[in-house]
Amino acid sequence: MTSSAPFPSQLARLTALLLAGLTAASLVAQEPKAKAAKRNPAELPAAVEPSALNVAPGFKVELIYTVPKDEQGSWVALTPDNKGRLIAADQYGSLYRITPPALGSSTGAKVEQLAATLPAIPDVADFEPVPTPKRAQSAAGKPPAIGAHGLLYANDSLYVMVDEVPGKQGLWRLRDTKGTDQFDEIKFLRHMKGSGEHGPHALVLGPDGKSIYFANGNHTDLPARMEKSRAVRWDEDHLLPRMWDARGHAKNKFAPGGYVGRTDFDGKSVELFALGFRNQYDIAFDQNGELFTYDSDMEWDQGSPWYMPTRINHVVDAGDYGWRSGAGRWPAYYADSLPAVIDIGPGCPTGTVFGTGAKFPAKYQRALYACDWTYGTLYAIHLTPDGATYRGEKEEFITGKPLPLTDLIIHPTDGAMYFTVGGRRTQAALYRVTYTGTESTAPAKALPLTPQAELRRKLETLHAEGTGPDAIATLWPHLSNPDRFVRFAARAALERQRPENWASRALNEKNPQAAIEAIIALARVGEKFYQPRLIEALSRLDFFAQPAERQLPLLRAWQLVFTRTGKPDAATCAALAKKFDPLFPHADRLVNRELVSLLIFLDSPTVVAKAVPLLSVSEAVGTAPEEQASKSLLARNDNYGKVVNSVSDSRSDRQQIMMAYNLRNATVGWTPKLRVEFFSWFARTATWKGGNSFSGFIQNIRTETLANVPDAAERAALNALSKPAAANFSAGALTPKGPGRDYSVADATALLQGQLTGRNFAQGKGLFAATACMVCHRFNNEGGGVGPDLSGAGNRYSVKDLMENILEPSKVISDQYDSQQFDLADGNTLVGRVVGEENGELLIMSNPFAPDEKTRVKSADIKSRKTYPVSMMPPGLINALNPEELKDLTAYILSGGNPQDKMFAK
């Protein structure tokens, strides 16, 4: 067992805090308190008033309905039915039908709960129930009726993607066969093996009006009886061993990751359309039938070179968008994946829709609307054709605090936009957006497709199964097309063909661009016996003779030859290392990343001596996308100046991290001096900040490199040289003055609602550390990572929602932060969170105040494991605070740590 407990002063403060105010809590969370029988007026639902929202000029927002969440839950999905009504889904419960008031009035919405209840699943051979923890129970403690993440009304049916109901996840169809305006026929169509926030999600109608497209997150397996696939032979394709997430998230989750599929109205045939997403919740078609999504980031990776911000993707036929788990996330420049239309920044993507049919000005009819749950922002993405794809410009269409956006639609009759807020049991509501300006709202025609887009779509028809070899002649000229999306479509079509029909042409291709694409295709789908000829063909391409934009694809082609056909013999590796050694180091930092991994793979004797000094070379400030993303995050908390002023001492250097990440695999060329220089680098990373997993990744690089040091004495000395200091989350903490009280949600809400003015910023910040918030939660890239990041809490939580999360933490537990109960063969039981796996042992963290302390349990000794329904967060951590202290702490959290927030104005 390894141990790294809090500092003594910090531990003493936590102990005193618990003894002073937590009579019902301990370091292991207790069962939630029973609900009070009567409803306090302070507990009545309250949604943000439209007057408190920032809205694009000329538009008006109306609050149509505030959801009583104790009865109707928290709404996350929305669809219009065939009579102009709306159907909404509670994340953990039932379906509701809403008749909105006519335009001109915001009152009188009619809301009724639908009587639909899912029957037992029929005996389907491929069905494997996915357990869902207690979070999926309704607010009243009853099993959920539906638990949907996706809704679509089409073909006189309501299609429902069930996610949160144990053993019933998948696609269902509901019909009214008796004309009673109720769904009496409920049929299970297709199993989706996934559950929770990365499970099966949204449904949309295909452009042909006859198919359904669906978006599934990266914890959802492909359907077991998937009949077709547009993409072929995807894989992980890492030249050097990938490092899994430092906190164990998505370990052993492999490609395709999140994906888009499509099926017919009866669910008889399912086809994989595109892959490589992390967790795209929704998808949307424009007027031309082009598909787009808003994919999520892995926020725990912030600060690392593999971090990708949330982004808008143009989802094309057979596209791969590069998500691979842990540090294996492909960079956007890989030739066998596709880049984003626009990077958005940190956030939590939810619903998307195009403005088609809206009674808005033309610009807004053509816009893609994308919801960010975390930061309460509805973006309007304005797309401009760019060759065979698009480039995007983002506009903050609507923002609010709190405004946890979940889904939105354009009403087919009244032309208004309707959106919902809610999710994770936060306060839900339904809003309507209309245009009140003077511009014309006449229906806007679709922008014409560019010739490159038309060509891409023509080539995509060759992705269908059964396409004959005559397609080779059609696609081949386009392997050298200057447009990346056209080349991708041509290569995907080539991979559909039998390699023996085109391998010789690929290996003898004279056009460098076409040769690179053809060799990538042959490496991906050909047999291993092609390796010598692939190496020969690539060796004919002079690296220096290629323009800059072709050098990275050429290096990727070399990588794919080895990831797919294996490592060559020692003589071949030595010859190739001699070929590539003169290229490194290169003037281009991205080329350097790919060269260093290739040379380490080939056992270059010189690469270590040339790469280690690069750990002292800093990349230019402002070049890292995650730095820009961090600025964007804090800017939305009105705290932009803080990050700008701290860049010089807290900004991680992605290039140095990537060098160290690759060097951890090098076994040739080390000297004692180089090792000392390498391990000295870790001290320079001490002030660098990032997401929950950032420091863990750095330490795992250190640990894995140490394991390759053969001499035990040298290894011990290097370990001492590079060992990190224990984190001190108690810096600046204040001891609560009290006297505290046993707060209930109702009491705390009544105390805080509308009274957060004239607060003390310094005291709020000190109490954030004192109440152990900083130990377990990230806040503006600081703090622990046991619980959710609180940086954007003010954008998604009302005062009541925040108090519920603090005082009743077991009421809703995100599946990213839940714990498990392990029943062991020796009769003992262990409760904790799996944070790693090594050599057949699980590493389990059971004390949130000592997250580095882990218990090792052999997998073979575990009789059973199941989700534990109690949060690791003790209830009542604020009970040691007096009312004024609680106000200061709450203001600090809701402000995003911004001392200029109006809550602190005197």
Side-chain angles (χ1 to χ4, degrees), residues 58 93 113 214 274 324 407 475 495 572-573 628 704 770 804 821:
Q113 180 177 346
F214 54 89
R324 301 297 187 270
D407 202 6
L475 67 87
E495 291 174 359
T572 301
C573 285
Q628 301 301 324
E704 291 187 22
E804 283 186 345
Q821 176 179 315

Side-chain angles (χ1 to χ4, degrees), residues 785-850:
V786 177
D789 193 314
L790 296 180
S791 302
N795 298 80
R796 63 181 182 266
Y797 293 139
S798 66
V799 167
K800 181 185 176 186
D801 291 330
L802 182 62
M803 290 303 106
E804 283 186 345
N805 277 268
I806 292 173
L807 292 166
E808 300 177 1
S810 296
K811 189 171 184 178
V812 56
I813 306 172
S814 166
D815 51 47
Q816 296 185 66
Y817 298 97
D818 57 14
S819 303
Q820 292 183 310
Q821 176 179 315
F822 300 87
D823 297 321
L824 306 180
D826 62 5
N828 288 322
T829 296
L830 178 66
V831 174
R833 183 180 304 161
V834 177
V835 294
E837 186 175 354
E838 296 175 356
N839 304 319
E841 293 183 325
L842 296 182
L843 305 181
I844 301 171
M845 182 268 292
S846 56
N847 183 350
F849 296 127

Side-chain angles (χ1 to χ4, degrees), residues 91-93 118-121 127-138 142-148 162-170 172 191-192 194-196 867:
Q91 183 176 356
Y92 309 119
L118 300 180
I121 292 287
F127 189 82
E128 299 177 41
V130 178
T132 306
K134 185 179 178 180
R135 67 173 185 275
Q137 291 185 350
S138 69
K142 298 178 181 178
I146 301 293
V162 174
D163 177 294
E164 302 281 0
V165 181
K168 297 183 180 181
Q169 293 90 350
W172 293 73
H191 173 43
M192 301 291 172
S195 174
T867 299

Side-chain angles (χ1 to χ4, degrees), residues 12 18 55 62 83 137 143 210 328 337 422 480 495 546 570 579 629 682 702 746 854 880 903:
L18 290 166
V55 187
E62 300 170 280
K83 296 182 180 179
Q137 291 185 350
K210 300 178 182 179
S337 69
S480 58
E495 291 174 359
Q546 308 308 316
K579 172 184 176 68
F682 291 94
R702 187 185 79 92
K854 304 176 182 69
M903 287 184 283

Side-chain angles (χ1 to χ4, degrees), residues 174-243:
L174 284 61
R175 282 178 169 170
D176 172 14
T177 66
K178 300 178 180 178
T180 61
D181 210 23
Q182 293 292 326
F183 297 112
D184 56 87
E185 180 189 273
I186 302 177
K187 185 176 181 180
F188 173 70
L189 299 183
R190 202 73 182 218
H191 173 43
M192 301 291 172
K193 189 180 179 184
S195 174
E197 294 179 9
H198 291 242
H201 296 317
L203 304 167
V204 301
L205 184 66
D208 61 2
K210 300 178 182 179
S211 57
I212 297 173
Y213 286 68
F214 54 89
N216 285 352
N218 64 333
H219 287 195
T220 311
D221 293 347
L222 288 174
R225 292 179 291 109
M226 186 180 72
E227 287 77 10
K228 301 177 184 178
S229 176
R230 309 298 282 182
V232 298
R233 296 289 295 272
W234 58 85
D235 210 332
E236 299 298 295
D237 288 319
H238 301 126
L239 190 61
L240 298 176
R242 167 249 315 279
M243 185 179 286

